[in-house]
Amino acid sequence: MSRSVLNRDFVAGCILLVFSVIYYLAAAAIPASRLADSVGPGGMPKAYGVALGVLSILLIAQALLARRRAIAAAPDAEANVAARRDLHAALRAAVMLGIGVAYVILLPLIGYILSIALLIGATAWYQERARPRWVVPTAIIGAGALWIVFVEVLQIAQPAGFWSSLL
Amino acid sequence: MSEVLAYLAPLIHTPIIIAAFAGVCWGIIGGALPGISPSITMALLLPFTYGMHPSAAVVLLASTYFGAEYGGSIPAILIRTPGTNAAAATVIDGYAMKQQGKAGEALGISLYSGLVGGTVGLVMLVLLTEPLSRVALSFRPTSYFALGVLGLSVIGSLAGENLVKGLIAGILGLMIAAVGSDPVTGLNRFTFGSPDLLSGIEPILVLVGLYAVSELLQSPSEPAWEKANAGEARLRMPRWKVWKRIWPAQSIGTVVGTIEGVTPGAGGTIAAFLAYNEARRWSRHKEEFGHGSPEGIAAPEAANCTVSKTAIIPMLSLGIPGSNSTAVLLGGFLIQNLIPGPMLFVQHADIVHHLYLGLGVSIVALWVAGYLFMPPSIWLVNRPKCYLMAFIFALVVSGIYAVETSLFHIGIALGFGVLGFAMRYFKFPFLPMVLGVVLGFMVESNFRRALVLSADDYMTFVQDPISLGLLSVAVLFVAGSWLRHFAAQRKQRTLAKATS
């Protein structure tokens, strides 16, 4: 197992341990009801919190033990390259997520057809910046096709945005 | 005669035929796109099934699964890139045949082996599902709780290389299922004052987020796939000489597919590789394997198409999904307010009957669409990946919004996409989490109901013979997983020592 995977397990274990504590405290704060049974509404969530905490500690221990055993771990230079690649992938994913979030924000403002065209255009352009000439036609055709499928065929009302006030 | 006609009547009265054809066609296209797994192909359809006729919705999803398993072999043969994980075994001999100028023959062997696998799988589905569900008819809350625990115990075999990570993913799934109103008192839990969370987090949002959105987030960092040559891909029916050679391999594939399909956690990929291995072992032409053997395509393709039917058996009869695709199918049932399990055969026997009929139609549909959809599949594989991903992203957000015309739902699905991306990064499996989400309510509500009925006597779970039996099987499952896990770790350590 490579060093980067072991580090990831350690980090994941720590994050989950913190989360399990927060979750347990939130579960313990669920008020008891007069109708409640012996387990109560917070009973199972508390058990989940404890189980997650124990498993997180096991994951941390596993990662530490495996790290000690990993004599032939990847050299530092290789680990640095992997870390840079991971960071790059995370940044690209964040941009994709940003496109999705922008869609959610813009949809009620500018309406479905324009926001979905922007989403298609932005995603296509971002994924492969080498062929931008096809981005605009694809976005327009794609948005039109989706409008026909969802609004005309499936009869699902999509937000019209400011266009409705202009009509 | 009149009985047969009455049995077939739903084909005319319900849109089953259209759903089966549409599902298979969509499945072939989705399966043919590398990186788009059968579960993603099915998850993309989920929002469209709202408002559909229940029979049409479940037939559409189950047929998509079948079509996708076949579709995965198209890029495996043509561009050496399996469209699905299960098609990875087909690459070995499929691509070798393509290099020998026999791409059409390889595609034909794949299609006809898929048809054989699908037919045998359907027969097994019809024969095995109902008897299994009949046993489950006498279930009480204790038994349902034990059944849920049995479902969760499958996590051990789904966890991959790290059992702890699988268990953690399962617990996270149970935590997601705990959001919303408490099943006994109706008190709100983890809703943070949001009315959108009162009815909990719908499994569809988790499924689409984990499978489809996380793939979209991952896609910009993945390389584009190769281009296929459409001219080489004219599908040809295998000649009689080839049929005589491949039928033993197909038989092996269907047997392996049946066993692996009903075994939770095994799935099409393991079945395909096992079938390939067994076909090679029993073949008279062992030396040809790896160099373009027709049997090397027939066995794995028959196996994974059999699995696409037999994997439905535990999901339909007990409500336990054993693979990602059947988890999505279960989500499709839940959308229609159909709870898979023993009561499905009592309350909605017609839906089960329609599903069988629809899956029968899907075999004919695969045969027709296998020929018709070859050119469009190749055309799609040859499109730049960026446009396909953009269109899939647009389909996901539009479909999720369509479910309840809620922007909040799109936000939740994006959130699960981020969680899925993180899980991929930290190498946590998805399926245990999905199991937790779909089984969480059943486990908690029946556990507490059983305790209320027995005046808080915990012994009630072992006094009920069905519950005791199911819990014992669950313990055996977990123990088996632990043992396998430790054996694998030991082997790894020994190997590492030997290398150093």
Side-chain angles (χ1 to χ4, degrees):
Chain A
M1 209 184 287
S2 75
R3 192 185 286 181
S4 69
V5 174
L6 301 178
N7 285 340
R8 282 181 203 185
D9 285 0
F10 181 76
V11 172
C14 292
I15 294 170
L16 287 164
L17 185 60
V18 173
F19 176 71
S20 69
V21 173
I22 296 169
Y23 185 86
Y24 182 87
L25 293 175
I30 295 172
S33 160
R34 282 186 189 170
L35 298 167
D37 50 326
S38 61
V39 177
M44 295 295 267
K46 276 196 277 188
Y48 299 155
V50 171
L52 184 64
V54 171
L55 288 167
S56 311
I57 292 168
L58 268 175
L59 187 63
I60 294 169
Q62 248 184 16
L64 290 175
L65 275 174
R67 205 176 167 174
R68 272 179 62 190
R69 280 199 206 110
I71 306 156
D76 279 346
E78 207 175 297
N80 286 342
V81 171
R84 267 203 302 276
R85 199 179 50 228
D86 292 343
L87 181 68
H88 186 245
L91 287 173
R92 298 209 79 176
V95 174
M96 283 292 288
L97 180 69
I99 294 171
V101 172
Y103 172 80
V104 174
I105 295 167
L106 290 176
L107 183 60
L109 302 174
I110 62 172
Y112 178 69
I113 201 149
L114 197 53
S115 47
I116 205 74
L118 285 174
L119 179 129
I120 294 172
T123 309
W125 174 79
Y126 183 67
Q127 290 233 348
E128 197 172 273
R129 280 168 241 183
R131 299 180 195 186
R133 68 200 163 110
W134 287 107
V135 167
V136 175
T138 307
I140 293 168
I141 294 166
L146 286 168
W147 171 266
I148 291 169
V149 171
F150 282 95
V151 180
E152 299 300 328
V153 179
L154 298 174
Q155 300 281 308
I156 294 157
Q158 296 278 358
F162 67 87
W163 303 103
S164 57
S165 61
L166 298 178
L167 295 172
Chain B
M1 185 66 188
S2 61
E3 278 177 9
V4 175
L5 285 176
Y7 189 82
L8 297 175
L11 290 176
I12 301 161
H13 304 310
T14 57
I16 292 174
I17 295 179
I18 299 169
F21 268 86
V24 165
C25 295
W26 176 253
I28 292 176
I29 289 174
L33 297 174
I36 308 296
S37 63
S39 46
I40 296 176
T41 313
M42 292 165 77
L44 286 171
L45 274 185
L46 277 180
F48 295 92
T49 61
Y50 274 87
M52 251 190 200
H53 187 287
S55 305
V58 296
V59 167
L60 179 75
L61 291 169
S63 305
T64 301
Y65 183 15
F66 182 43
E69 286 297 356
Y70 161 69
S73 70
I74 299 171
I77 291 166
L78 296 178
I79 57 171
R80 208 183 175 184
T81 306
T84 59
N85 290 338
T90 309
V91 170
I92 309 167
D93 286 285
Y95 190 68
M97 279 187 79
K98 185 239 166 186
Q99 283 181 313
Q100 294 160 11
K102 297 181 196 164
E105 195 179 328
L107 289 165
I109 293 168
S110 162
L111 175 66
Y112 284 92
S113 302
L115 290 172
V116 170
T119 310
V120 174
L122 178 60
V123 172
M124 290 300 165
L125 174 71
V126 175
L127 290 180
L128 297 178
T129 308
E130 211 159 338
L132 200 60
S133 73
R134 229 175 283 143
V135 176
L137 267 179
S138 48
F139 277 21
R140 295 188 298 160
T142 45
S143 330
Y144 276 111
F145 164 72
L147 183 63
V149 173
L150 176 64
L152 291 174
S153 71
V154 172
I155 287 172
S157 37
L158 303 172
E161 59 182 38
N162 194 324
L163 186 58
V164 175
K165 285 184 180 177
L167 293 172
I168 287 175
I171 295 284
L172 290 173
L174 291 171
M175 287 174 163
I176 295 163
V179 173
S181 301
D182 173 46
V184 175
T185 62
L187 212 77
N188 298 335
R189 302 185 300 189
F190 309 108
T191 55
F192 309 104
S194 165
D196 290 299
L197 288 174
L198 286 180
S199 54
I201 294 173
E202 296 203 37
I204 180 180
L205 303 177
V206 182
L207 291 165
V208 173
L210 283 183
Y211 292 110
V213 179
S214 74
E215 179 63 38
L216 284 164
L217 299 183
Q218 187 85 28
S219 63
S221 316
E222 284 172 352
W225 51 73
E226 248 184 82
K227 297 264 185 287
N229 183 352
E232 290 175 321
R234 276 198 199 90
L235 199 142
R236 279 173 54 193
M237 187 180 172
R239 284 165 290 133
W240 177 240
K241 199 176 138 195
V242 178
W243 268 112
K244 276 205 291 190
R245 196 172 150 185
I246 61 174
W247 78 261
Q250 288 174 333
S251 309
I252 289 170
T254 54
V255 172
V256 173
T258 303
I259 297 166
E260 294 298 312
V262 293
T263 310
T269 312
I270 296 174
F273 277 101
L274 268 178
Y276 182 86
N277 202 36
E278 288 307 307
R280 183 171 54 185
R281 190 159 28 155
W282 295 96
S283 172
R284 286 181 193 166
H285 312 275
K286 286 189 186 70
E287 71 291 346
E288 283 185 31
F289 274 75
H291 306 285
S293 164
E295 293 146 285
I297 301 169
E301 283 305 310
N304 66 40
C305 284
T306 309
V307 169
S308 73
K309 300 274 194 279
T310 52
I312 302 173
I313 296 171
M315 194 283 290
L316 205 57
S317 55
L318 301 171
I320 299 175
S323 65
N324 287 317
S325 303
T326 47
V328 180
L329 183 59
L330 177 65
F333 272 83
L334 296 178
I335 287 171
Q336 301 296 329
N337 287 322
L338 302 167
I339 316 287
M343 291 313 287
L344 185 71
F345 290 81
V346 179
Q347 292 165 343
H348 301 285
D350 55 329
I351 304 287
V352 179
H353 168 207
H354 295 173
L355 177 64
Y356 292 161
L357 277 176
L359 286 175
V361 175
S362 75
I363 294 168
V364 182
L366 184 69
W367 184 64
V368 177
Y371 281 92
L372 293 181
F373 269 70
M374 188 58 70
S377 298
I378 293 164
W379 183 83
L380 265 178
V381 169
N382 285 342
R383 290 315 92 203
K385 189 181 154 195
C386 60
Y387 297 119
L388 286 173
M389 287 299 161
F391 195 72
I392 289 172
F393 202 179
L395 206 59
V396 165
V397 291
S398 307
I400 286 293
Y401 181 80
V403 172
E404 278 187 29
T405 55
S406 161
L407 284 172
F408 184 77
H409 276 184
I410 303 180
I412 294 275
L414 289 176
F416 277 106
V418 175
L419 180 64
F421 182 81
M423 286 174 75
R424 282 168 191 254
Y425 177 76
F426 288 113
K427 299 196 183 303
F428 280 77
F430 287 166
L431 192 51
M433 178 180 272
V434 174
L435 273 177
V437 172
V438 296
L439 295 175
F441 181 82
M442 179 166 103
V443 169
E444 181 177 3
S445 58
N446 286 296
F447 174 69
R448 291 169 63 185
R449 208 171 291 154
L451 282 178
V452 169
L453 290 173
S454 65
D456 292 334
D457 180 9
Y458 282 83
M459 290 304 285
T460 187
F461 297 107
V462 285
Q463 280 161 355
D464 173 15
I466 297 175
S467 164
L468 180 65
L470 291 170
L471 287 173
S472 308
V473 177
V475 169
L476 284 175
F477 255 58
V478 174
S481 307
W482 275 107
L483 286 174
R484 264 205 313 275
H485 176 69
F486 284 121
Q489 269 194 337
R490 216 172 143 182
K491 199 175 163 187
Q492 216 174 8
R493 249 178 265 151
T494 322
L495 261 172
K497 264 186 197 168
T499 333
S500 65

